Amino acid sequence: MVTKKSTHFLNKRMYFKISRILIGFACLYSDWRIASLFHTPIFVWLILLSTIALGYQVYAEHIDNYFMGYRLIALVSGLYLAFLTYHISALIVIDFMDIFLHKDLSILALIFSIAITIYGRVHTHTIKTISYTYKTNKLPVGKQYNIVQLSDLHIGEIIDTNYIHHVVCQVNALHPDMIVITGDIFNRTNMRQRKHFYPIFSELRQLQAPDGVFAICGNHDPAMDSSLWQAFLEKSNIVDLNNRSYISKDINLIGRTGLVSYPTRKHLKRLMHSCDYQKPIVILEHDPAGILQAQSQHADLIICGHTHKGQFFPFTYFTRYWYGKDYYYGKHIKNGTCSIVSAGTGYFEIPVRIHTDNEIVKIQLQGLRKD
């Protein structure tokens, strides 16, 4: 069951400690192999780069304010980890090939790793629009209701005002009836970057939808009762829908909170009490693990994010395995409930997209009821 598996996995702190140790050894090996290709004493400089990259990942959550060069360090750190992933993988392949070819291809592994990392970084500047349709008997024939979903923006060290400006322009060009944000607006729960938010406010206020803009918390956002979170939403003209419901003239909209293990999270059945069952019931959920409960309560549509579709290869396949093909990405219908999981509009920590896209999701509800 995806809920128990995901929660159990995230709570294993030992896993993260072991991972850091293994990554440290991988860095040393990668640096040594690169240094062996050149007749210059660059090993020390590579170790310094590795230390800065890994140190940032470990301590970034504890830094309260920006300092000069902070954004550059965040970018380099993320790109280094992407490069490390591909370099170690490529070294394993070429070392296996060396058994049969008796030829050192280490330089090809280096070139490949640099090239694919650059490609992945460039690809993050593209934001695609993905369209889905959902047909329902709870809307009259000919009625179309357009919802645009943003998810996992991860505003912070790397994703800034310029990126959000492009997102807003693309969203408004779709002329949505309603805009929803399914969590992880921010990259850090401590909102370290809050003093830089004022330009973001002005951009998000430009989002245009007759029925409004609604948001829920993700696991990277502050607590829903945080004064900083509430102030951000208010200044951005975004309605907080955590543990709440909203009934428009066309649909019921219900917002869940954070991950499925969130301690103050209300049960979906309780949130559905005030719904008008003659209208479609649409659930906003950050974690696709919540799809199971939506299906059990016979919701019409549930919209999720969180998985990033793995963000970059090979984690795309690991994510698919972990969540299952019906939960990690895309549109699926099961037990009468339609679920849509976005790959995310932004990206987290590792600033590359390989085998996935940054996406804005357009969902068109089409009526089938003959009045």
Side-chain angles (χ1 to χ4, degrees):
M1 187 171 164
V2 70
T3 301
K4 291 181 180 178
K5 188 163 60 173
S6 299
T7 304
H8 184 60
F9 176 79
L10 291 170
N11 287 337
K12 282 195 170 181
R13 294 183 178 272
M14 184 59 67
Y15 167 84
F16 294 104
K17 291 180 181 179
I18 294 173
S19 296
R20 288 170 182 172
I21 294 172
L22 292 176
I23 291 172
F25 280 114
C27 287
L28 287 173
Y29 183 67
S30 173
D31 294 344
W32 173 70
R33 291 293 295 267
I34 294 172
S36 67
L37 291 171
F38 303 96
H39 300 292
T40 55
I42 65 170
F43 184 66
V44 174
W45 293 105
L46 291 172
I47 290 295
L48 178 60
L49 173 63
S50 303
T51 302
I52 292 173
L54 295 185
Y56 168 80
Q57 297 298 326
V58 173
Y59 295 106
E61 191 68 44
H62 306 289
I63 301 173
D64 292 329
N65 295 294
Y66 277 126
F67 53 84
M68 186 175 296
Y70 184 87
R71 186 175 187 273
L72 178 61
I73 291 175
L75 181 62
V76 170
S77 175
L79 290 176
Y80 176 81
L81 290 181
F83 164 81
L84 181 66
T85 300
Y86 291 111
H87 192 223
I88 293 296
S89 301
L91 286 174
I92 292 172
V93 173
I94 63 105
D95 285 348
F96 178 77
M97 293 173 60
D98 186 40
I99 297 173
F100 303 97
L101 300 178
H102 306 292
K103 188 175 183 180
D104 187 2
L105 301 175
S106 298
I107 189 65
L108 294 182
L110 179 61
I111 294 171
F112 164 78
S113 304
I114 293 173
I116 197 169
T117 301
I118 292 173
Y119 163 78
R121 176 57 188 155
V122 171
H123 190 49
T124 62
H125 294 89
T126 300
I127 308 171
K128 292 189 174 181
T129 298
I130 307 297
S131 298
Y132 299 107
T133 60
Y134 171 66
K135 298 181 180 181
T136 173
N137 287 312
K138 293 184 178 181
L139 291 175
V141 170
K143 175 67 178 180
Q144 294 182 346
Y145 190 86
N146 295 315
I147 300 174
V148 167
Q149 176 202 13
L150 303 177
S151 190
D152 301 274
L153 287 165
H154 289 282
I155 298 170
E157 300 91 334
I158 299 175
I159 291 183
D160 57 9
T161 309
N162 290 332
Y163 190 89
I164 298 303
H165 174 75
H166 290 301
V167 170
V168 170
C169 289
Q170 285 189 227
V171 169
N172 288 341
L174 298 174
H175 304 291
D177 295 299
M178 176 183 288
I179 299 169
V180 299
I181 308 176
T182 50
D184 281 2
I185 294 177
F186 303 106
N187 198 45
R188 301 287 177 189
T189 56
N190 63 10
M191 292 180 68
R192 171 185 59 250
Q193 58 273 48
R194 57 185 175 272
K195 68 180 182 180
H196 299 272
F197 283 165
Y198 293 103
I200 300 290
F201 297 153
S202 60
E203 290 296 339
L204 291 175
R205 279 198 297 265
Q206 302 306 312
L207 288 170
Q208 300 171 7
D211 285 350
V213 183
F214 300 83
I216 57 172
C217 286
N219 56 302
H220 285 269
D221 293 317
M224 65 177 183
D225 56 355
S226 162
S227 59
L228 292 171
W229 167 258
Q230 294 296 330
F232 179 87
L233 294 183
E234 182 179 353
K235 292 177 182 178
S236 302
N237 287 345
I238 298 173
V239 179
D240 179 9
L241 205 69
N242 287 292
N243 284 336
R244 296 175 184 171
S245 61
Y246 170 81
I247 303 176
S248 74
K249 63 177 181 177
D250 295 301
I251 68 168
N252 301 278
L253 187 67
I254 295 175
R256 313 303 308 281
T257 302
L259 295 174
V260 293
S261 58
Y262 203 87
T264 59
R265 181 181 172 92
K266 293 181 181 178
H267 194 280
L268 181 57
K269 185 176 181 179
R270 180 179 172 189
L271 291 169
M272 289 175 63
H273 277 322
S274 60
C275 286
D276 179 353
Y277 282 80
Q278 301 303 310
K279 302 176 181 178
I281 298 175
V282 180
I283 313 296
L284 304 185
E285 175 79 76
H286 181 64
D287 187 352
I291 292 173
L292 296 172
Q293 193 174 105
Q295 291 170 347
S296 69
Q297 297 300 316
H298 307 292
D300 296 289
L301 172 66
I302 177 168
I303 308 171
C304 310
H306 185 55
T307 69
H308 293 226
K309 199 185 175 184
Q311 192 161 309
F312 65 102
F313 176 86
F315 296 101
T316 48
Y317 291 101
F318 297 155
T319 304
R320 179 186 172 95
Y321 166 76
W322 195 256
Y323 282 91
K325 65 181 181 64
D326 292 339
Y327 300 97
Y328 95 114
Y329 177 72
K331 175 186 173 184
H332 301 275
I333 299 178
K334 190 173 182 179
N335 298 333
T337 298
C338 177
S339 63
I340 293 174
V341 181
S342 168
T345 313
Y347 44 87
F348 166 66
E349 212 63 47
I350 312 297
V352 298
R353 280 278 190 181
I354 299 169
H355 199 221
T356 67
D357 301 301
N358 297 322
E359 62 183 38
I360 294 167
V361 178
K362 179 181 178 182
I363 306 165
Q364 186 177 82
L365 278 64
Q366 299 178 347
L368 297 176
R369 187 182 72 236
K370 297 180 179 179
D371 294 327

